[in-house]
Amino acid sequence: MNTIWSIRTGIRDFIETIHRSCKAWIEKYAFIKTMYAIFSWLSLIMFVFSLFFVKESRTMMVQYLWSFYVLLQFWFLCRSKTMPWKPIVLFVLAGVFLVVPFTTLTVNTFHVLFGGKTSDTWSIAVLTPIFEELWKLLPLGIFLLFSRRASALSLSDYTLIGAATGVGFQLMEELSRRWLSSGVLAEKYGYSFSWLGGETIHWDFFSLFPGRFEESLFPTLMTVGHPVHTAMIALACGIAYRLRTRLTKWVFLFPAIIVLWSILDHAAYNGQHKLPGWVFRLHEWTGSGYKTQPVFLLMLAASLIADYWSLNKIRSRLPSLPNEPLLNPFTELWNMIRSLLLDRGKFIYWLGFYRERRELGFHLLYGNEEAADRKEPIQARVRALYQALSGLAVILLAAGLFAGIGAHTGGGETACFACKFDSLQDWWDRLEWYEQGAIVLGALALSLLFVGFWPAFGFAMTTMGIAGSGHEIAGYIRNPKKLLTPENALGVAVGIVLSRIPFGKALGWLGKKGRGYVRKLLDKLGSRKPDILRTEEVIAPQSGKAIRVYTDGDTIIPVDKIEKYLRGKVNVNIQEVTKELRELKQLKQTQRKVFDADRQNAERMKKLEKMKHNFERSDDMRQKLESVGLHDTIENNQSIAKHLLEVGKQIKPGNTLDFPSVLEGPNGKKLKVLTTWKMVDGQPYLSTIKLIPTTT
């Protein structure tokens, strides 16, 4: 076991070294970012062009949108998730580029060794379901083996990982079906239509987890799509792992049963009218596939209750909003939806705050020693300034010509893109509704001369959006660094569209009219956003890992120094540490020879004593802060950070050791603060902090 663990750690350290080297190269050679930006934009442009001329590209886009929609449904339902969007997307890619080829290779290798063809009934209905359901768990297994945060996942994280892998597998499988479908039926009714069964694969917008397999003519059984099966199995694995200490190891039979159930659903559908009767009787006892999704939804609901129940047990150790009596998904969802519709500037704040708070909670609850030092990486976005400016300039020119706005500037007028777009919105807003409608229809009519209806409709709506969003666009021209790579530019476009649609404008009007009443209500609910300090990601000078820091451009304060170390939240399970330390001391006293025979005992004891000391010191800091009224809230943590940033302005290379300052709490009591700093590239970097009660 120790050998396997050493190999695993060695592989992970090697990969992390490569990752850090790549990041360093990217930071050192700026042209890499530029080349990536150029490649991103060229790829996007080529794909857009291919949608007009290549049928397969349109087919791919259709299936991609359906798969993306399924993933969004899982993302919305998994309310206790702690993983960001990008890692989840990586599991989708793993389903496409790892699971699909590996499954194909396994099935074909089996046939090479034992004979038969992939079109045989026993291969389609027995071999393929077994390999597909098992290998779809491969990305989850790799993640649990190598990730530092594997011990601190929420149950929703397990669900999302399984669902994302299933979405990737389904994307490739259905895309292959669409590309390979041909004939009269496929042309007239769609790629999944058959003479005897009718529509067999259902992509319904208003259904939960579309993509189920069921014959529309006289159906007797069905099977859910790959995302549901894999999500249910992964969730069962998470539940078993969570309950392993309370129950016996027999609890791992639960995910095994779920795997067998998924294989049975899959096999029964693939082998209709071909497998023995006892298979279908067994399948009928389990609901003929119609009970799978309801059972999964019950499991998901139970997992959400369990996750938030656990978080509320340590609520006092988590950052909390004013008047937030209970951590729950409904308040979180309400605040995010409200900010998205009425105050989109706060949406990202709420999204990040709730996710990071849940992540911190599960690290405190279940994080092992490996998870203790892990910092959530905040991915740096690549900026492609001149490409974005070039693309935007073309749009501006086209819109200006279409709207009939001259480029001539005379008298006191300014000659800048931004000013013209401010004028463009003023002009657009002065028009009556029927005049705006005539312009949009005119754009549609002109565009129809060159392209089909939907591209023309998109162009017309874009023209209206540009004209009606002048102030927003002007802001991006004045500060073009806001426009990043294509995915960020897309976010900007979506924001502009949302600000112009009638529903969004109506919400804005309601927000202005009812702002006073809503603000009072939300103040009571504790949903006001505090004054947030700027945070960045830097490389820690000692560990070489990416960490979040507060900064004013000069002074650097690690966020965890305040939110974890000063708040008694160091990632140490003090009960287990104390118990193990006591056992080692007892072994040393009673069986000294046995203790000395293993050198790791002394090293482990020393490490445990250090962990205990860190916990006690951190908890002592927490008590001292609370004694002066600085309880663990966002506002108080921000106040401490501001104090330290002010102290940092006084730090010079000659006074970095135990620099004194005074921190005053809301109750008037004071603490003496001794801070030690390091000079990193000429900037003060907070290293250690001590709190000493004052007598005055």
Side-chain angles (χ1 to χ4, degrees):
M1 188 66 182
N2 290 333
T3 303
I4 296 175
W5 198 256
S6 299
I7 295 173
R8 166 256 194 192
T9 304
I11 294 173
R12 186 182 64 192
D13 292 344
F14 176 72
I15 294 174
E16 288 180 343
T17 301
I18 295 176
H19 180 256
R20 285 195 296 268
S21 300
C22 291
K23 289 186 67 175
W25 272 71
I26 292 172
E27 292 298 325
K28 184 177 181 180
Y29 301 103
F31 77 90
I32 298 177
K33 296 181 180 181
T34 304
M35 295 303 297
Y36 169 74
I38 294 173
F39 175 77
S40 298
W41 281 106
L42 288 178
S43 299
L44 180 62
I45 293 170
M46 291 299 295
F47 177 70
V48 171
F49 272 104
S50 72
L51 293 177
F52 293 96
F53 304 107
V54 182
K55 178 183 177 183
E56 286 75 10
S57 291
R58 295 192 294 273
T59 301
M60 180 172 63
M61 189 65 179
V62 169
Q63 185 56 52
Y64 169 82
L65 290 175
W66 276 120
S67 298
F68 181 74
Y69 178 56
V70 174
L71 185 61
L72 281 181
Q73 289 187 344
F74 279 98
W75 181 262
F76 180 81
L77 290 175
C78 295
R79 300 311 316 160
S80 62
K81 58 184 173 289
T82 68
M83 297 186 70
W85 175 260
K86 283 191 176 181
I88 295 300
V89 173
L90 292 179
F91 283 101
V92 177
L93 297 179
V96 174
F97 297 112
L98 174 63
V99 179
V100 170
F102 193 71
T103 303
T104 304
L105 177 64
T106 306
V107 172
N108 288 329
T109 301
F110 190 92
H111 283 294
V112 169
L113 295 175
F114 300 100
K117 297 181 295 184
T118 55
S119 57
D120 293 341
T121 299
W122 66 270
S123 179
I124 295 174
V126 180
L127 188 65
T128 298
I130 292 174
F131 281 140
E132 285 186 356
E133 299 303 333
L134 289 177
W135 295 150
K136 282 188 295 180
L137 299 175
L138 193 58
L140 174 63
I142 294 173
F143 180 80
L144 294 178
L145 178 61
F146 290 102
S147 174
R148 295 183 186 277
R149 65 171 299 176
S151 63
L153 296 178
S154 70
L155 294 178
S156 284
D157 290 330
Y158 281 93
T159 307
L160 266 178
I161 290 172
T165 307
V167 165
F169 191 93
Q170 182 187 55
L171 170 62
M172 200 61 198
E173 186 177 70
E174 296 309 307
L175 186 56
S176 301
R177 283 197 180 100
R178 290 179 185 271
W179 278 340
L180 297 176
S181 65
S182 60
V184 178
L185 286 180
E187 292 291 333
K188 187 173 183 179
Y189 299 106
Y191 79 105
S192 65
F193 193 89
S194 66
W195 283 115
L196 298 178
E199 192 73 29
T200 56
I201 307 176
H202 300 269
W203 296 99
D204 306 315
F205 184 79
F206 293 104
S207 65
L208 188 61
F209 312 134
R212 74 184 191 279
F213 293 77
E214 181 186 23
E215 294 181 347
S216 58
L217 301 177
F218 311 111
T220 57
L221 53 82
M222 61 91 68
T223 183
V224 294
H226 289 289
V228 178
H229 273 150
T230 315
M232 185 167 68
I233 298 170
L235 177 56
C237 293
I239 293 172
Y241 182 78
R242 182 77 61 84
L243 297 177
R244 73 192 188 284
T245 56
R246 297 184 181 181
L247 303 176
T248 64
K249 292 183 179 180
W250 289 101
V251 72
F252 286 99
L253 281 177
F254 177 54
I257 292 172
I258 298 298
V259 169
L260 292 176
W261 188 7
S262 300
I263 292 174
L264 177 62
D265 277 359
H266 199 161
Y269 187 84
N270 285 4
Q272 291 183 70
H273 316 297
K274 298 177 182 178
L275 292 177
W278 64 267
V279 175
F280 296 104
R281 283 195 297 272
L282 184 60
H283 190 237
E284 185 179 356
W285 294 342
T286 60
S288 298
Y290 293 96
K291 302 297 183 183
T292 307
Q293 184 165 303
V295 170
F296 165 68
L297 292 175
L298 289 174
M299 289 171 59
L300 181 59
S303 69
L304 292 177
I305 294 172
D307 276 346
Y308 278 94
W309 184 277
S310 299
L311 289 174
N312 278 286
K313 287 182 178 180
I314 58 165
R315 183 181 173 278
S316 61
R317 301 176 64 187
L318 297 174
S320 59
L321 297 169
N323 302 320
E324 189 179 25
L326 191 68
L327 305 183
N328 67 89
F330 304 107
T331 302
E332 295 177 0
L333 192 60
W334 161 253
N335 283 333
M336 287 188 289
I337 292 176
R338 172 192 167 276
S339 63
L340 179 63
L341 297 178
L342 299 180
D343 192 356
R344 284 184 292 278
K346 297 180 180 179
F347 176 70
I348 297 299
Y349 163 75
W350 287 119
L351 197 66
F353 169 74
Y354 285 133
R355 185 191 62 77
E356 290 182 6
R357 182 171 69 176
R358 291 192 297 265
E359 182 180 1
L360 172 60
F362 288 111
H363 269 76
L364 294 174
L365 282 165
Y366 307 113
N368 59 15
E369 187 177 328
E370 275 196 335
D373 296 330
R374 182 191 173 277
K375 310 297 181 185
E376 181 69 26
I378 302 175
Q379 299 292 340
R381 296 184 180 275
V382 181
R383 290 171 172 80
L385 177 58
Y386 65 89
Q387 293 87 354
L389 282 174
S390 301
L392 187 59
V394 173
I395 298 175
L396 302 185
L397 180 61
L401 292 174
F402 175 78
I405 297 178
H408 172 71
T409 308
E413 296 181 1
T414 56
C416 67
F417 278 129
C419 303
K420 291 185 180 302
F421 266 86
D422 282 328
S423 302
L424 179 59
Q425 176 160 358
D426 294 335
W427 166 78
W428 179 262
D429 289 340
R430 285 197 301 268
L431 296 178
E432 296 293 337
W433 65 269
Y434 55 87
E435 294 174 311
Q436 295 177 350
I439 290 173
V440 172
L441 291 175
L444 179 62
L446 290 174
S447 303
L448 281 171
L449 296 175
F450 305 99
V451 296
F453 174 76
W454 286 114
F457 182 76
F459 176 78
M461 293 298 100
T462 301
T463 303
M464 180 180 68
I466 290 174
S469 304
H471 297 321
E472 289 93 336
I473 296 176
Y476 284 102
I477 301 174
R478 292 191 183 98
N479 186 10
K481 290 184 178 181
K482 295 179 182 178
L483 288 172
L484 312 176
T485 41
E487 65 269 24
N488 302 99
L490 177 61
V492 171
V494 171
I496 291 175
V497 171
L498 284 176
S499 69
R500 302 309 304 172
I501 57 176
F503 183 60
K505 294 171 70 175
L507 288 171
W509 179 83
L510 289 174
K512 291 179 180 178
K513 296 296 183 182
R515 180 175 296 172
Y517 301 102
V518 174
R519 189 173 295 277
K520 291 179 182 179
L521 174 62
L522 293 173
D523 282 345
K524 294 180 180 179
L525 294 174
S527 61
R528 291 290 302 277
K529 172 185 172 182
D531 184 19
I532 300 300
L533 291 174
R534 184 164 65 96
T535 62
E536 293 181 359
E537 183 184 85
V538 302
I539 302 300
Q542 288 184 336
S543 64
K545 297 179 181 178
I547 63 171
R548 283 193 309 137
V549 298
Y550 295 114
T551 180
D552 57 2
D554 295 317
T555 305
I556 302 174
I557 312 291
V559 172
D560 284 352
K561 286 287 185 185
I562 298 173
E563 296 186 359
K564 288 189 177 181
Y565 182 65
L566 292 183
R567 293 303 182 182
K569 296 177 182 176
V570 292
N571 290 303
V572 175
N573 189 326
I574 191 61
Q575 289 83 11
E576 292 185 4
V577 168
T578 303
K579 179 182 177 182
E580 186 178 355
L581 186 60
R582 184 173 59 251
E583 291 174 351
L584 284 174
K585 287 182 177 180
Q586 185 177 3
L587 179 65
K588 183 178 180 180
Q589 292 173 356
T590 58
Q591 303 181 52
R592 184 59 181 262
K593 291 184 178 180
V594 176
F595 179 87
D596 292 338
D598 189 349
R599 294 182 179 179
Q600 292 185 357
N601 287 335
E603 295 176 0
R604 180 61 177 168
M605 179 182 291
K606 185 177 180 180
K607 186 174 183 179
L608 290 172
E609 288 174 341
K610 184 178 179 180
M611 293 169 64
K612 184 180 179 183
H613 171 74
N614 288 341
F615 177 84
E616 291 173 345
R617 187 173 178 182
S618 175
D619 194 58
D620 179 64
M621 297 283 191
R622 174 188 64 80
Q623 295 177 27
K624 289 175 180 176
L625 286 175
E626 292 178 352
S627 70
V628 299
L630 289 171
H631 296 279
D632 189 6
T633 65
I634 296 175
E635 291 84 356
N636 288 338
N637 290 339
Q638 294 277 308
S639 175
I640 296 170
K642 290 177 182 177
H643 171 81
L644 294 173
L645 288 173
E646 288 297 320
V647 172
K649 295 178 180 179
Q650 308 172 53
I651 300 300
K652 306 298 179 186
N655 64 347
T656 58
L657 183 63
D658 286 341
F659 186 88
S661 62
V662 176
L663 181 64
E664 184 174 353
N667 59 12
K669 295 182 180 180
K670 300 178 181 179
L671 290 172
K672 184 178 180 181
V673 182
L674 297 178
T675 50
T676 298
W677 305 76
K678 292 181 179 180
M679 302 304 292
V680 179
D681 296 331
Q683 294 179 310
Y685 179 95
L686 180 64
S687 178
T688 61
I689 183 170
K690 303 175 186 176
L691 301 178
I692 303 173
T694 60
T695 56
T696 57

